[in-house]
Structures are given as C-alpha cells and as structure tokens.
Amino acid sequence: MQQMNAQRPDRIKRDPAPSRAAYRIHRLWLTPLFRALLRVGLPSFTVIMLIGLYVSDAENRERMNNIAREFRAAIETRDEFMVKLMAIDGATVPVAADIREVLSQDFPVSSFDLDLEAMKAQVETLDAVKSAQLRIQSGGVLQILVMERIPAIVWRNNQGTVLLDAAGVLVGPVETRMDRADLPLVAGEGAQDHIPEALDLLQAAAPIMDRVKGLVRIGERRWDIVLDRNQRILLPADDPILAMARIITLDDAQDMLARDLSVVDMRLGYRPTIRLQHDAADGLRRIRVSEIGVTQE
Amino acid sequence: MTDLYGMQRAMRNMRKAAMQRGVIAILDIGTSKIACLILRFDGPERFREQEGIGSMAGQSSFRVIGAATTRSRGVKFGEIATMGETERAIRTAVQAAQKMANQRVDHVIACLSGARPRSYGLDGVVELHENTVTEHDIARVLAACDVPDYGDGREILHAQPVNFALDHRTGLADPRGQMGNQLATDMHMVTVDANVIQDLLYCLKRCDLELAGLASSAYVAGVSSLVEDEQELGSACIDMGGGATGVSIFIKKHMIYTDSVRLGGDSVTSDISMGLQVPMAVAERIKTFYGGVVATGMDDREMIDIGGDTGDWEHDRRRVSRAELIGIMRPRVEEILEEVRSRLDAAGFDHLPSQQIVLTGGASQIPGLDGLASKILGQQVRLGRPLRVQGLPQAATGPAFAGSVGLSLFAAHPQDEWWDFDIPMDKYSGRSLKRALKWFKDNW
C-alpha cells in the first residue's frame, strides 16, 4: 500500500545512524597517529615514490639533465653575461703579450665559464708579474690589473744575465749587461737570495758609487765589492754594512781607495788588511833600497 | 564477593586510565533520548583556587568539549529492549559528540535508569586491634558488613559507606586516625538486574567503547540537581525520565535510598496517543507544546489541531480543547506521583529532618507540575535544574540533562565505594596464597 500523500510535513526524520563501518572509520580518523600518518605520511610517501620511480629510469634522468643543461646554457649565453674582450692595465707591451699568450682565452665567452681564480694564478706565474687583479666589468670586459715587478738589479750567473727585483725575484732575462747599465750588477752563486742586503750595501757605498763595478757573492756566504782599477773590497759575512761604513770613513779620511791598492780585506773586523798592487809593491821596495844606498843593477 | 571486587576494580582502573588520557565520555541511555557528553580533564582545579572558592563537586576540573543528543530507540523503561537499535542510537550520539569534540573517546561512563534498583542498608562492626583507626580497619569493617541474599541475577551497582560510628560516637564521615575500641559502619547497597548490565556492556562493546564506570541515574541526578544544603539536611530527588521515574533520598551528602517507578513521560505520551487516537510522535509533540496538569476556563476555549493523514477529511481535521488534553494527562501524572509517594513512604522519608523534594528530569517540565506535586508529595517541592558545568551547550542545560551532568560530576569525583578499599588479608581465600606459591614453584 502506498501512502496517500507522499509529502507529509510533520514526518519525523529517522536518525542518521552511522553504519558500524562508518562509525569505525570516523573513530579511526580521529585517532591522532592515524591522522598524522594519513595527512603527512601518505602524501609525502606518494610524492617521494613517484619521484623515485621517475628518476630510477636512466632515460628520464638523461632527459632531465638535458633540460637542466639547456636551461643553464640559455641563461649563460645571454648577452648580459658574455665577455667580449680583455683589457690589460699596468703592464708593458711585452708583458701584456705574454699574459695574453698565457691565458690564451678565446672571446666571446660566458662569464660563468671564466674561472677568475685560476686565471689570476695563471697570470701570476709569469715572472714579470708581481700581482694581478681580474674582474669582469659591465659591458663584457675582462679587466686585468697587473702590478709588474720592477727590476732593481742585474745578476750575472753561469747561464747568462737576468734581471731581479728588489726582493730578489726573477723579472726576466736581459741580453747584455749594457742593456740595463742603469742598474747595479751582482754576480756569483746564491746572490739572488740576498738581493736586499746587496742593495743596502750599494746604498752604503753611495759615496764611491762611481767607482763600483758590481758585487760578487763569494762562497754563497759573503760579498766582495769590485771597483775599477782592479780594486776589490772583501766584506765579512757578518754585518757587511758596518764594514762598508768603515771603508767609506777611511776613504774620506786618508783617501785610501785612491791609493795603489789591490785588495782591502775587511773580513776580520779587528784586523783590516790591505794588499798593494804588484807594481806598487815593487816601487816601494826600490824606494826603500835607494834610501839605504844600495844601487840595483 | 571477590568477583564484584574484580569487576568494579577493573572499571575504576579504566577510569583512572581515562583520566590520565584526559578524555572520557558520558553516556546517558534514557528511554526517550541518548545523550553523550565528552569531558576533557585539564588537571586539578586551576582557576578557582585563587578566588578562594573551591568547587562543590569538582565541576571546575573538567570541561565539556562535545555534546550530542539523539532520539533513543529500542529502550523501554530505561532498559535496553532492542540491542541493534540501541547500539545504532549510541553510535549516532557518540559519533556526533566525537565530531564536535574532534577527539576520539574510548572510555565511557554510563548510567542506568531502570533495571529495578533495590536498596539495602548494611551494617558491620569490628573490634579495633589498636586504639587508632587505620585504613585497614575501615576495609575490615566494610568487609564485616553482612551482605543479604539479594538473589540470583542481581548485581551490586553501588555499595557506599554512608556513616561510621566509633564506640558511642556516630555520624563520622572519616574516622581514620581517631581513637576508639569498636568501629561500626552503615553501608548503602544498591543492586540491579544483572542482565540489564550485560545488555549494556554488550551494546558498548559493539560500539568499541569500554565501560569505565556505572551509576544509577537516580543517584547522579540527585548529585547534580540537589544543592549542598539539601544533600546535607535530607531531601528526595525525583528524576522523571521518559520510561522510568527515579527516586533517590539524600542525607549528610550520601544517598541512603533509591528506587525507580516504571512510569514516566512516555506513559503520559502513550495515554495521549490512545486517548486522542494519534501516533506517538504526534502525541509527544502535542504534549510538549500544549501539555499541562492544571486546567483553567481558558483551556476550554483553546483548541488544538491534532491532524492526521488518513485522507479522511473528518478524521484529519479533528480538534480537541486543551482542557481535554489536560484531562488525559493529569491522572497519569498523578499516578506517577502517587507511586513515588508510596516509595518515599516505604523508605521512611517522613522521618527525615528536612523533607525537601526536588523534581527534575525531562517530564518535570510539564507546566503546573510543581503545584500538583506539592499536593501529593508535601509542601516543600521545587523544580530542579542541573548544576552548571563548563562548556555545556545551552541546549543541554535543561532538567532533562540532570542525569548526564550528574554523571559528569560522578566521573570527576566518584564517591568512595566498598571496592575502593583494599580487601583485608583474612578475606582472601587460602587458595590464592597457594596459587602464588605455585607460581613461584613454576617460575623459579
């Protein structure tokens, strides 16, 4: 039998009693651990698993790498990042040519591909370069600021003649000593390690500078000052500056170096010794003999 | 005896576990509605201490975080009659409350309104070994109570010590540490039908809930709707529910008697249904909208459409006057109150110093009931509403929720019962000692 009127206004709605399963699921859902697991654990597990599945395929990995590489290249080759030319400041022309040769960099190149640290190290391997600063300036210019080594002395050794700076570091070769007549000359093994001392000695010898021909390192231990007229000053290993000052004083007082000496030996500080020239010694003997009245035939 | 201890102890442990977790559910399975409250215990009372006012019944230590009510199904006279229906109704209420609380509950405290409660007064006397009363002595005197033969198929629901006497001094609430020679106690024991409890347990188990406590609804309604001095001086709480009316008598803050009348608001509804030839649902609606127990001249003129959907014009357009409705309701309400009167008389209520009567429960909302009740029950009658507790929705503060609120208070502060004290050693049977020895032999 059907109801006469289907829509009864005061019909009492039945309680929406949950089924046993719905009730249990609701209770399970209200369990904090389960809830955390479902809300955080399951999505993260799914995402990680999907990513893992995708990545585990070598082809996919390759494709992703390609995409990343292309993307990177697209950014790197943008005009803003390209370096088009190199400017070298503070270097003489041959040194600048050397730097260009050492770097051997083709332009244009992306600034991401330039390893400035390595390039700086490379530039500083050149003897003539004391230090270098590299920076990429706007407009795509690689600016290299070079501090060159200033040659302070000429060193003549077994191989030839080279230039050294004030610290004794090699600056470069030189053809002949006369090419750099303005610089003092040192010679001898081990001289390059004591260039500051040599420069100090030369400064102390400033009053007789016009007569100094050069310094010789003897036995990798001490200095000799070579003067013109075959004269030679032998300096001690310890405190040669003081010894030099004494010689300058003697020279001032007694015109010592102007006399016919061949060697002034200052190696023993308490007993400076001079040696006469061979002719001078002969002449002296002759004078002595004539004084005592002996005629030599 | 030991069996009883075991079951009640298990429930107490369950309650302790629930307290530790901080969430417990209250389930009031009534004949007309099933209410579920979810309580959160935040620890000891934090806010009231500074103000200097402690809570009376510990109602500030918890907060109601979920509340749901649903129409009860399959419950008759406060007892489960159709398990499946009741189980579904419980599920509805619990799920809605859980949804509101956004928290899952596993432990539930329930109350029984029917199940034919029966009160017993017990007393026990022991001589003290030493002169001061210790906890052990209290356990001993409780164990010395002479348990009457309450019959097969009954379970002890409550067994509360209500009074202690030390030598000639009586009325002690807590005799521990006092000096004396002889300790006596009075105990109030309530038994109910065991199969009702079994049904309830089965239903809760089907809902994946664990029972953490069980109380008589008349008792918990009294706890929530009697004020402190009424509980102290002596009063009766009449909890007029749908299918059963509970009676509980309190004095000195202890329940000393409880009973239940198997009549209630549903009896009134069924009278209306039969008298006016309308379905129960319509009768319930007419009762709540137009019901009353005192007719006046005005009521003769107020006509009520009772409707119908048979399709017969004459039948569907019937009208009755409100006086007629009252004429149907009043005899039934009077009958309920007379029945309550006889229960109170049987309990010796007129010997109490104060004879305050508090009407609560859903059926106590009939207009004019207090006037009628004072004619039948005595002069000191008032309508009671449950205590206010934190977080309870406005819709659940009416007298119909006296049982639920009382059960919350019971959950927060249960009364000491028999099984809360240790069983004295001499009551253990020798068998358990033998079992312990056997265990040692087996394991060492």
Side-chain angles (χ1 to χ4, degrees):
Chain A
M1 269 292 277
Q2 232 174 343
Q3 291 284 349
M4 290 289 283
N5 40 359
Q7 287 182 332
R8 287 175 292 164
D10 56 355
R11 192 168 60 120
I12 292 173
K13 271 195 255 169
R14 288 192 69 76
D15 270 337
S19 69
R20 220 168 133 75
Y23 173 78
R24 285 217 167 128
I25 288 168
H26 184 239
R27 277 169 70 80
L28 193 63
W29 177 240
L30 285 176
T31 310
L33 184 68
F34 177 80
R35 202 169 173 150
L37 214 66
L38 209 65
R39 280 176 49 179
V40 180
L42 193 67
S44 44
F45 174 76
T46 312
V47 167
I48 288 169
M49 189 157 113
L50 286 180
I51 291 175
L53 279 179
Y54 187 78
V55 167
S56 63
D57 190 354
E59 206 171 297
N60 288 331
R61 270 206 304 275
E62 185 59 30
R63 195 180 308 144
M64 280 200 308
N65 284 344
N66 278 343
I67 289 169
R69 222 174 290 133
E70 277 165 24
F71 185 65
R72 194 187 157 90
I75 289 177
E76 282 175 355
T77 54
R78 281 178 73 86
D79 223 21
E80 290 85 346
F81 296 122
M82 294 304 281
V83 175
K84 291 184 204 71
L85 56 96
M86 180 160 67
I88 300 173
D89 286 352
T92 51
V93 176
V95 174
D98 282 352
I99 289 173
R100 279 176 203 283
E101 192 179 332
V102 163
L103 289 181
S104 65
Q105 182 72 57
D106 293 331
F107 291 98
V109 66
S110 168
S111 62
F112 287 96
D113 294 339
L114 292 176
D115 183 359
L116 292 186
E117 286 295 319
M119 289 170 80
K120 176 176 151 78
Q122 231 172 355
V123 169
E124 286 179 354
T125 53
L126 288 176
D127 293 334
V129 177
K130 187 176 180 188
S131 71
Q133 289 180 4
L134 276 76
R135 65 174 71 121
I136 293 167
Q137 287 184 333
S138 60
V141 178
L142 174 64
Q143 176 87 34
I144 304 179
L145 276 175
V146 180
M147 289 268 283
E148 274 198 45
R149 292 188 193 283
I150 299 160
I153 212 158
V154 181
W155 179 39
R156 179 177 294 144
N157 55 16
N158 294 340
Q159 278 82 41
T161 319
V162 293
L163 292 173
L164 301 182
D165 75 348
V169 183
L170 188 71
V171 175
V174 70
E175 282 295 314
T176 61
R177 195 258 177 277
M178 283 343 265
D179 286 351
R180 295 303 300 260
D182 54 325
L183 297 178
L185 177 74
V186 292
E189 284 294 314
Q192 77 274 23
D193 297 334
H194 298 274
I195 297 300
E197 196 182 39
L199 290 174
D200 284 348
L201 275 177
L202 286 169
Q203 198 170 3
I208 54 166
M209 201 59 210
D210 51 338
R211 295 198 50 208
V212 171
K213 290 175 85 171
L215 294 176
V216 181
R217 190 77 177 164
I218 303 294
E220 297 189 27
R221 183 170 65 84
R222 60 176 199 84
W223 293 104
D224 270 9
I225 297 182
V226 179
L227 305 178
D228 55 0
R229 293 200 350 250
N230 257 347
Q231 285 184 343
R232 191 176 264 258
I233 300 170
L234 277 57
L235 294 173
D238 297 331
D239 212 354
I241 308 287
L242 182 66
M244 192 67 219
R246 287 175 69 185
I247 286 171
I248 297 298
T249 315
L250 280 174
D251 187 40
D252 278 355
Q254 302 184 358
D255 247 355
M256 180 181 73
L257 294 179
R259 293 168 194 249
D260 206 2
L261 305 174
S262 69
V263 171
V264 181
D265 188 351
M266 297 297 289
R267 283 176 298 183
L268 296 175
Y270 56 88
R271 201 178 66 181
T273 313
I274 55 170
R275 191 190 306 158
L276 296 177
Q277 298 269 18
H278 191 258
D279 296 344
D282 276 356
L284 189 60
R285 196 186 314 122
R286 238 183 286 121
I287 290 167
R288 291 259 170 86
V289 166
S290 68
E291 274 177 355
I292 56 174
V294 179
T295 348
Q296 233 173 3
E297 294 304 320
Chain B
M1 261 306 284
T2 342
D3 194 35
L4 163 78
Y5 267 108
M7 181 184 158
Q8 295 282 4
R9 280 259 163 99
M11 288 207 283
R12 277 294 147 96
N13 286 339
M14 209 83 82
R15 177 185 162 272
K16 219 173 274 175
M19 289 286 172
Q20 226 153 31
R21 204 180 286 183
V23 178
I24 199 164
I26 296 300
L27 201 58
D28 179 6
I29 302 170
T31 313
S32 57
K33 64 150 179 38
I34 289 181
C36 177
L37 303 183
I38 294 177
L39 311 181
R40 196 182 62 213
F41 288 87
D42 296 326
E45 309 169 15
R46 284 182 301 184
F47 309 111
R48 298 294 177 88
E49 284 298 325
Q50 290 91 11
E51 294 167 27
I53 307 165
S55 63
M56 284 185 299
Q59 74 269 34
S60 67
S61 67
F62 64 85
R63 192 181 167 80
V64 179
I65 54 170
T69 315
T70 185
R71 192 165 65 95
S72 179
R73 281 173 286 161
V75 182
K76 289 227 165 63
F77 305 118
E79 295 157 10
I80 293 169
T82 318
M83 294 268 222
E85 287 286 296
T86 312
E87 182 201 322
R88 285 168 62 187
I90 292 173
R91 277 210 303 262
T92 314
V94 171
Q95 186 174 35
Q98 278 179 344
K99 200 167 183 179
M100 178 174 167
N102 200 18
Q103 194 148 22
R104 171 194 171 140
V105 284
D106 293 318
H107 303 283
V108 65
I109 294 184
C111 70
L112 288 171
S113 54
R116 301 178 190 275
R118 210 172 293 159
S119 271
Y120 297 90
L122 273 52
D123 59 346
V125 180
V126 286
E127 298 292 328
L128 295 179
H129 296 317
E130 289 155 34
N131 279 338
T132 47
V133 181
T134 59
E135 183 131 358
H136 177 66
D137 288 323
I138 293 185
R140 227 152 45 83
V141 74
L142 291 176
C145 284
D146 197 12
V147 180
D149 179 21
Y150 46 77
D152 274 345
R154 305 279 291 175
E155 284 275 6
I156 299 180
L157 186 61
H158 291 291
Q160 301 167 336
V162 296
N163 182 33
F164 288 100
L166 198 55
D167 294 344
H168 305 295
R169 294 183 295 135
T170 185
L172 303 175
D174 185 0
R176 274 175 292 183
Q178 300 198 31
M179 307 282 280
N181 293 315
Q182 191 185 51
L183 183 66
T185 186
D186 297 314
M187 189 151 65
H188 176 229
M189 188 172 85
V190 182
T191 63
V192 291
D193 282 344
N195 48 6
V196 177
I197 294 184
Q198 293 304 324
D199 293 349
L200 179 66
L201 276 174
Y202 181 75
C203 270
L204 293 178
K205 201 175 147 216
R206 293 268 298 164
C207 295
D208 303 334
L209 296 167
E210 288 192 272
L211 193 62
L214 203 53
S216 151
S217 88
Y219 168 56
V220 293
V223 166
S224 73
S225 52
L226 296 182
V227 298
E228 207 173 354
D229 59 328
E230 286 170 345
Q231 286 184 7
E232 179 72 34
L233 297 174
S235 58
C237 176
I238 317 290
D239 177 20
M240 303 181 71
T245 298
V247 180
S248 59
I249 301 178
F250 279 74
I251 191 165
K252 286 184 190 270
K253 297 191 180 157
H254 288 293
M255 178 175 68
I256 56 166
Y257 177 78
T258 184
D259 207 339
S260 140
V261 178
R262 288 162 82 81
L263 292 169
D266 281 1
S267 320
V268 180
T269 309
S270 71
D271 281 357
I272 296 170
S273 166
M274 283 188 275
L276 300 181
Q277 301 277 310
V278 288
M280 279 293 269
V282 177
E284 180 73 33
R285 188 174 142 269
I286 291 173
K287 182 184 81 171
T288 47
F289 279 170
Y290 309 104
V293 288
V294 183
T296 61
M298 176 74 173
D299 293 330
D300 283 330
R301 294 192 295 280
E302 189 177 344
M303 299 303 282
I304 305 162
D305 281 328
I306 56 176
D309 53 358
T310 57
D312 178 353
W313 172 269
E314 292 298 327
H315 186 266
D316 289 357
R317 288 291 175 271
R318 287 175 300 155
R319 309 178 84 191
V320 291
S321 70
R322 186 159 178 237
E324 275 179 272
L325 177 66
I326 290 171
I328 294 171
M329 287 175 70
R330 181 165 172 134
R332 180 59 86 171
V333 176
E334 275 177 351
E335 187 198 348
I336 295 171
L337 293 174
E338 291 286 357
E339 196 68 34
V340 168
R341 172 82 258 172
S342 72
R343 300 293 162 100
L344 289 178
D345 285 345
F349 181 61
D350 40 357
H351 299 300
L352 292 189
S354 157
Q355 292 170 21
Q356 180 76 41
I357 287 173
V358 177
L359 293 171
T360 187
S364 73
Q365 296 172 95
I366 303 172
L369 182 70
D370 48 342
L372 182 63
S374 64
K375 280 183 190 148
I376 295 170
L377 298 174
Q379 282 305 307
Q380 293 172 302
V381 173
R382 74 170 179 94
L383 295 177
R385 295 168 71 83
L387 205 67
R388 283 182 296 172
V389 294
Q390 272 188 322
L392 194 65
Q394 180 65 39
T397 54
F401 290 86
S404 317
V405 174
L407 207 49
S408 312
L409 300 177
F410 173 80
H413 265 280
Q415 157 113 41
D416 276 351
E417 307 224 20
W418 198 350
W419 37 84
D420 291 324
F421 294 95
D422 287 331
I423 311 170
M425 274 316 276
D426 48 343
K427 281 283 167 181
Y428 278 120
S429 55
R431 208 179 47 205
S432 57
L433 203 68
K434 268 183 204 153
R435 220 187 299 157
L437 275 174
K438 185 172 179 296
W439 185 85
F440 262 95
K441 268 185 201 158
D442 290 350
N443 288 283
W444 296 85

